[in-house]
Amino acid sequence: GERTFGMETNHKCSRLYKGNFNMKTISFVIPSRNNLTYLKWSYNSIRKNLGYRHEIMLADDFSSDGTWEWLQEIKKKDINVQIFKNEGPERKGIVYWYDFLCEKSTNDIVMFFHADMYACPNMDKEVVNKLMKGYVVSATRIEPPLHPEGPEKIVKDFGIEPEEFDEQGLMSWLNEERPEKYTRGIFAPWAIHKEDYWKVGGHDKLFAPQSKEDSDIFNRFHLVGLKFTQTWQGLVYHMTSRGSRFNPYSGGAPGKDSPEWLHTTTKNMRNFIRKWGTPV
């Protein structure tokens, strides 16, 4: 799973690297559909804060906002990126793409990341340091107050759109002293060894294209004996639900559910109850 970036390229590539070469490398798995503004913000955060050594797997799920053109430009500049495209006419959804991108990735460790997440400095180190075979490790989300508070996240407003993102405010907050904290939990973004991921056969197509697929696979991880750890030192800032629920291309907006999401979440809640005999 160890990969070295830039060893066969010029010194410019080597200068772009940040981090510890002894740390295991991650394949970030990021599908996106009509989410280009957030995807750019997310990609740039990984490269700016975590360096160029990690692989980034990017998929355009039949977008109409210029995503594919941008991915092609990124591929020319970043040798540690793989890009894939759904030609349509229907979206495939994250249930399909997570399995596909995981299979195509070249590292032993994959991290299931959302296109509206900003990777904070050292998030990779904190996650990898806790990740062993038989475990799933989640980073902790910092979110603006668009959803109710919960014990698994930090609600703090550093902006709800990339153009108003208070990066300086976030960095100042991150530099404050906080005690080390690890809890038993599993939420996006989460990392796992591919060997453990495939123990349950990946995501269940019953929940395609998306919604409730995460709760389903978390149940199945638990049933095969995987252990869950959440690190409160490894952090991401999450704009929240911009892939479908609040996506303007689907009829949503920040805090406003799209009709598309309402349909899929209702359908898949029924599927979840039929399969598990209980609500999520």
Side-chain angles (χ1 to χ4, degrees):
E2 301 288 346
R3 298 193 72 209
T4 304
F5 175 84
M7 299 302 289
E8 297 178 356
T9 58
N10 57 35
H11 293 291
K12 179 181 178 182
C13 291
S14 298
R15 288 199 300 272
L16 292 171
Y17 166 74
K18 293 180 180 180
N20 178 357
F21 269 110
N22 293 322
M23 186 177 69
K24 291 181 179 179
T25 48
I26 298 169
S27 290
F28 286 87
V29 173
I30 313 176
S32 183
R33 181 179 64 111
N34 289 328
N35 228 3
L36 181 57
T37 300
Y38 307 98
L39 183 62
K40 289 179 178 180
W41 175 74
S42 183
Y43 165 84
N44 288 333
S45 76
I46 294 172
R47 289 309 188 218
K48 179 179 181 179
N49 294 328
L50 309 184
Y52 278 73
R53 67 193 306 264
H54 298 301
E55 180 177 59
I56 304 180
M57 311 290 294
L58 299 168
D60 172 17
D61 194 7
F62 194 48
S63 298
S64 56
D65 64 350
T67 293
W68 182 243
E69 290 74 16
W70 180 76
L71 290 183
Q72 290 175 297
E73 289 301 312
I74 288 298
K75 179 62 179 173
K76 293 175 185 176
K77 302 172 185 177
D78 190 338
I79 65 171
N80 223 6
V81 159
Q82 291 196 55
I83 63 172
F84 303 90
K85 182 183 182 183
N86 171 19
E87 299 287 353
E90 302 293 334
R91 67 168 171 156
K92 292 181 180 292
I94 59 176
V95 167
Y96 168 85
W97 282 116
Y98 279 158
D99 284 4
F100 179 92
L101 295 175
C102 180
E103 187 173 8
K104 296 290 184 182
S105 64
T106 63
N107 290 312
D108 289 338
I109 296 172
V110 289
M111 186 163 208
F112 294 84
F113 209 75
H114 292 185
D116 60 352
M117 287 179 172
Y118 175 98
C120 296
N122 295 318
M123 183 275 287
D124 53 344
K125 181 185 77 172
E126 294 294 338
V127 168
V128 168
N129 282 350
K130 287 293 178 181
L131 184 61
M132 301 177 287
K133 293 285 182 67
Y135 277 75
V136 187
V137 176
S138 301
T140 295
R141 305 188 313 272
I142 310 161
E143 293 185 347
L146 290 175
H147 289 313
E149 294 188 12
E152 81 286 358
K153 62 185 175 181
I154 300 166
V155 177
K156 199 162 184 67
D157 192 354
F158 294 105
I160 63 170
E161 298 290 356
E163 56 267 24
E164 63 182 49
F165 175 52
D166 183 9
E167 185 173 39
Q168 184 175 355
L170 173 64
M171 292 302 154
S172 296
W173 181 81
L174 289 171
N175 287 330
E176 296 176 7
E177 284 291 325
R178 286 188 307 279
E180 275 196 316
K181 182 180 177 183
Y182 304 97
T183 52
R184 181 173 180 265
I186 179 167
F187 312 93
W190 47 277
I192 190 171
H193 285 272
K194 285 201 290 189
E195 176 185 336
D196 288 330
Y197 180 75
W198 293 119
K199 283 180 181 177
V200 301
H203 283 78
D204 188 342
K205 295 179 179 60
L206 177 66
F207 300 98
Q210 67 180 76
S211 192
K212 310 300 181 284
E213 82 294 329
D214 49 355
S215 297
D216 173 77
I217 199 169
F218 298 162
N219 278 2
R220 290 185 286 125
F221 285 155
H222 176 66
L223 289 177
V224 298
L226 298 186
K227 306 299 182 184
F228 305 145
T229 298
Q230 181 181 357
T231 170
W232 292 72
Q233 301 297 310
L235 299 167
V236 299
Y237 189 72
H238 183 214
M239 289 290 181
T240 73
S241 302
R242 302 310 167 87
S244 177
R245 185 173 187 175
F246 296 160
N247 191 312
Y249 278 80
S250 304
K256 176 188 174 184
D257 296 340
S258 71
E260 176 188 75
W261 179 84
L262 287 171
H263 170 73
T264 57
T265 195
T266 301
K267 172 179 70 72
N268 281 348
M269 177 60 86
R270 291 170 180 157
N271 285 337
F272 191 95
I273 293 170
R274 291 186 187 106
K275 178 174 179 177
W276 293 100
T278 175
V280 171

